[in-house]
Amino acid sequence: MQQNHSVTEFVLLGLTQDPMTRKMVYVIFLIFYVGTVVGNSLIIVTIKSSWTLGSPMYYFLFYLSLADSCFSTSTAPRLLVDSLSAKKVISYNECMTQVFALHFFGCIEVFVLILMAIDRYVAICKPLRYPTIMSQQVCTILIVLAWIGSFIHSIAQIILALRLPFCGPNLIDHYCCDLQPLLELACTDTYVINVLLVSNSGVICSSSFVILMISYFVILHSLRNHSAEGRKKALSTCTSHIIVVILFFVPCIFIYTRPPTTFPMDKIVAVFYTIGTPFLNPLIYTLRNAEVKNAMRKLWCIKIISESNRRIDGFG
């Protein structure tokens, strides 16, 4: 594929141009990013270390936390560096890499959220067949398919980005590289590419959101046949999932399912699903999940006891 190399770098305008506000942005999003990495890493370590978290739901939560960490890392470090930089330059190749990473890990998160909804549906609506349907082999195959599907989606996005010719203007009114702001700089008619963008990212976001909301509606409707304790536990789990789904998909749908035009609020909306949701997911899944909290406590107790024994042996 022939690439246009007349533009070798772009300038990211970031969230704001005000120096004082940029320092505030740095502090706020540094806290968000560190919290995202630490929180999701803690979930990953806890699930891998605890034998009590061996069910498919936690298997998928492991990959959701992994996707969250990588998804946030695809945008947050650049935002932090640019908040303290006078000139926020990103090379053409780095920009294309960021487009690929953003869509790859974002798409993995979409697919994992769907798998988590399927897992909850089978567990609540078909409990007797749950061990057979959601076996370890089936879960592994589903995760592999999610990675393959995300790779195909990202390749399609990067092909669209590489086809865009850039003739001069290189100011991206955003804090990261994505197709929507890049379309504004292309010196060609972008109607067809925007249709392809909407039919790819837009359809994935919209259809996934509809599927997820329908599945959770079916799950919640089926809870009327369960005991009070069963309803309470299932409702708590599903509520957590629904909160995550809404926080992630509503901003995505706003960005990727409209004509090729940008609005001043696009950057703030993008913050919700690129940085906000990965930060909130660990809080939502731990604060509302007794099993995860108990496993974390046991893990820390074991660590503290091991460290104490090591120090005692050292003094001995």
Side-chain angles (χ1 to χ4, degrees), residues 10-287:
F10 298 99
V11 177
L12 296 168
L13 297 182
L15 289 174
T16 179
Q17 297 299 304
D18 181 66
M20 185 58 65
T21 308
R22 281 164 51 187
K23 292 178 182 179
M24 293 176 59
V25 166
Y26 176 82
V27 173
I28 292 172
F29 288 102
L30 178 63
I31 295 172
F32 269 67
Y33 180 59
V34 172
T36 298
V37 174
V38 172
N40 283 291
S41 298
L42 185 57
I43 290 179
I44 290 171
V45 172
T46 301
I47 292 175
K48 276 297 183 183
S49 304
S50 177
W51 61 270
T52 61
L53 303 180
S55 67
M57 182 176 75
Y58 299 112
Y59 178 77
F60 295 135
L61 179 58
F62 170 87
Y63 283 100
L64 180 66
S65 297
L66 180 62
D68 275 336
S69 297
C70 297
F71 187 46
S72 182
T73 300
S74 67
T75 58
R78 167 63 62 174
L79 172 61
L80 293 173
V81 171
D82 289 346
S83 297
L84 300 179
S85 302
K87 192 175 183 182
K88 314 170 197 62
V89 176
I90 182 171
S91 70
Y92 179 89
N93 290 336
E94 288 175 335
C95 185
M96 295 301 109
T97 301
Q98 189 173 57
V99 171
F100 179 86
L102 185 68
H103 285 271
F104 179 69
F105 294 113
C107 194
I108 288 178
E109 183 156 350
V110 170
F111 289 146
V112 172
L113 287 172
I114 292 175
L115 294 179
M116 293 177 76
I118 294 173
D119 173 70
R120 290 301 84 203
Y121 170 78
V122 178
I124 295 171
C125 299
K126 301 180 183 297
L128 297 179
R129 299 179 59 192
Y130 179 72
T132 303
I133 296 175
M134 301 302 295
S135 65
Q136 182 62 45
Q137 183 179 7
V138 171
C139 292
T140 302
I141 292 173
L142 290 174
I143 284 295
V144 170
L145 291 176
W147 283 80
I148 293 173
S150 300
F151 182 78
I152 293 173
H153 163 74
S154 303
I155 288 294
Q157 297 299 95
I158 201 66
I159 288 174
L160 293 178
L162 291 173
R163 291 179 64 88
L164 293 173
F166 302 103
C167 305
N170 66 341
L171 297 179
I172 299 178
D173 189 17
H174 213 290
Y175 62 87
C176 67
C177 284
D178 200 2
L179 275 174
Q180 285 286 14
L182 287 174
L183 289 175
E184 294 287 313
L185 302 181
C187 52
T188 186
D189 183 8
T190 59
Y191 175 79
V192 175
I193 293 180
N194 187 73
V195 170
L196 294 174
L197 173 63
V198 171
S199 63
N200 189 345
S201 297
V203 169
I204 288 177
C205 290
S206 300
S207 59
S208 298
F209 180 71
V210 172
I211 291 171
L212 285 166
M213 295 310 294
I214 291 175
S215 66
Y216 284 119
F217 175 79
V218 172
I219 291 172
L220 294 176
H221 183 263
S222 69
L223 291 179
R224 57 192 174 87
N225 299 323
H226 289 66
S227 64
E229 183 179 353
R231 282 199 302 269
K232 183 179 179 181
K233 183 177 180 180
L235 185 61
S236 176
T237 302
C238 290
T239 301
S240 302
H241 292 197
I242 292 171
I243 291 172
V244 172
V245 167
I246 292 175
L247 289 175
F248 183 81
F249 282 96
V250 172
C252 284
I253 292 171
F254 175 80
I255 295 294
Y256 293 112
T257 57
R258 67 168 198 246
T261 181
T262 57
F263 300 106
M265 64 185 302
D266 283 356
K267 292 182 284 188
I268 304 301
V269 172
V271 165
F272 275 96
Y273 68 88
T274 59
I275 298 176
T277 303
F279 172 77
L280 291 174
N281 279 354
L283 299 177
I284 292 172
Y285 283 111
T286 54
L287 293 179

